[in-house]
Amino acid sequence: MNSQQLTAQQPTAPTRPGTVVEFTGVVKEFSGMRALDGFNLTLHAGECVALLGPSGSGKTTALRVLAGLESTDAGSITIDGIDVSALSTSKRDMGMVFQSYSLFPHLSAGENVEFGLRMRKIKPAERRRRAAASLAMVGLDDHFDRFAHQLSGGQQQRVALARALVTEPRVLLLDEPLSALDAKVRVQLRDEIRRIQTELGITTLFVTHDQDEALAVADRVAVMRAGNIEQVGTPEELYSRPATPFIADFVGLSNRIDGLVRSARAEVYGTSLPLIDPATPDGPVTVSIRPEDIEFAAEGLAATVVTSSFLGSLRRTTLRLADGTILFLQHGVRVHPKAGENVFVNFTGAPVSTERVETASVAQQQS
Amino acid sequence: MTGLTTNGVAHAPSRTVRTIILGVVGVIFAVPIVAMIEFTLRAGLVGGYNVDRWVALFQSGFTGVYRPVLVALGNSVALAIGTVLIVLLLLIPTMLLVHIRFPRLRRVLEFICILPITIPAIVLVVGLAPVYAIVARMLGSGVWTLAFAYGITVLPFAYRAIQSNLDGVDVKTLTEAARTLGAGWGSVLLRVLVPNLRRGILAGAFIAVAVVLGEFTIASLLNRVNLQTALVVVSKVDPYTAVILSLLALAFAFLLLLVIGRLGAPRTRTSRRRTTVKGPA
């Protein structure tokens, strides 16, 4: 069902200058709990921004507030410079794909897609033509007359995407649209969302708790924590230069090792590593090191292999150092360490983020 | 979506068991009807059967003593329509509002709606009599005012029918999806919610019609004429004709429900909810 991606279908909407969305100091409280606490974010024209964060961090609230499904308690939301805070959902001109399957069960896929056009009083013939084109864009042109219960989960979300885009909305809102799907379909649809988003050049807000999704789909990723953005940047920036250990932990995997900062370098097991933030004051720290920044070597740090798991394109191996510290590293599948084997590892020398020991244990390991 | 499906299918009764159950239930329903027909066909004390009474009734064209029954039937139909309207225009919007916007009120609404079933009609009338004194002063004592009382008596049945449908539909997401697509609240209601709640709404309307056409106590005690009270009056004069009229009323109610069912289901299709059963169970 997925053979059409590369043969770039004609997009239904002409590529047009995208829309700028700006959140300024948005506050939203739910019975005393602040879901958004002075939330600021700008979506540039045609940009796809992923809101990434653990559950309860306020990411879905931010999206729902933009959609008008929740009201704001303070702050403003502007679309192309015009405040939309007081505008009802139906007038905001947004396309939205929901986490749960949201197709209208009494309508066929085509009629679902036509729904938004019908609301805009478009003539039946044009409605049908545009709905068909939109379904073709998601590769389901031959499913026009199917009903939701006759479609797989992935197909339903495709139809939902077609339905959201057929009206050529100013902004596309994706509320964890892939989380109900199984792994393979999730990756396919994720890539397809990215392709369509790029083709249409539509400003997009993508909410997810899955870091892989966020990194793969977005131009910029905003990591949220407790109602606010902890760091926003390109996927590369977030991954290689995490501002805080929370980010380092949340985006990608990290080894957390005791170390020492001295004269703008981190010292770990006798190796001196550059710092992401050279202004870090001297003292004992916890160092976050990416699993791919540790490699097997002929000599160096002695370790024993605990386990090694095959992950398809790469392999993840867990090691125990002489002092009992557990390290895990990622490497090519050709190297195949056996449990119990004695090996040597080295740090590659990539810059690391650190956290002062006094304030340690802020974030738990996320994977 | 939850992966759980209500798995009643695995222990569905076999075909023969189903036929037996259906047969027994059918006989239970058929016995009184057949008995009624038999009664109307009796030729007299000497025995034997003929259709004289049926012919006489139809030849008279429902005039004379039977005229009030026709009027009463009209009253009952009007009451049925009024009651259904109360269910459609008051109960359903209230339930949707509570479901979408005020979920915490759901228990309260449920309690209020189920309450009438615990109160016998005769007790209800005691409370309703003074209320109807006021209603009569404000709106007159037309028969149609009974629809208010009937609206209350059908509440438990209509509520259950609609609520069970409501629980099976993700009303919140569908509403939000429609809203983001540009639908105002009217469109959300008529184009999205009502079509998806059709089964529950129809069931609620069926029950309302059935209850109203069979209602005697409240109408009788509040001195209004409806089908049942008129039949009782006729039966005192001519029991045979009363039974014939009862049979006709029964057939009429049956036809009415059939028509409502047709009207409400313009596009019948397997609208069964998604079942995520893959492979052999």
Side-chain angles (χ1 to χ4, degrees), chain A residues 230-294:
Chain A
E230 183 110 343
Q231 185 181 2
V232 57
T234 64
E236 292 80 6
E237 277 167 14
L238 280 184
Y239 193 81
S240 57
R241 309 187 75 81
T244 64
F246 173 78
I247 307 282
D249 259 356
F250 198 76
V251 180
L253 291 166
S254 277
N255 289 290
R256 295 166 65 81
I257 313 168
D258 293 338
L260 192 68
V261 171
R262 194 156 43 187
S263 46
R265 307 256 320 162
E267 285 179 16
V268 187
Y269 291 109
T271 311
S272 173
L273 298 169
L275 289 168
I276 289 172
D277 179 10
T280 312
D282 290 1
V285 290
T286 303
V287 180
S288 294
I289 300 178
R290 296 287 184 201
E292 64 271 28
D293 292 338
I294 306 173

Side-chain angles (χ1 to χ4, degrees), chain A residues 112-146:
Chain A
N112 261 282
V113 178
E114 282 183 30
F115 187 88
L117 300 172
R118 187 185 282 266
M119 291 300 118
R120 284 162 179 76
K121 310 230 181 331
I122 309 268
K123 296 248 155 41
E126 188 188 347
R127 225 158 57 198
R128 205 179 158 79
R129 185 185 59 74
R130 282 171 66 177
S134 196
L135 277 177
M137 181 178 66
V138 296
L140 290 176
D141 30 348
D142 50 347
H143 289 63
F144 196 96
D145 295 321
R146 300 277 185 92

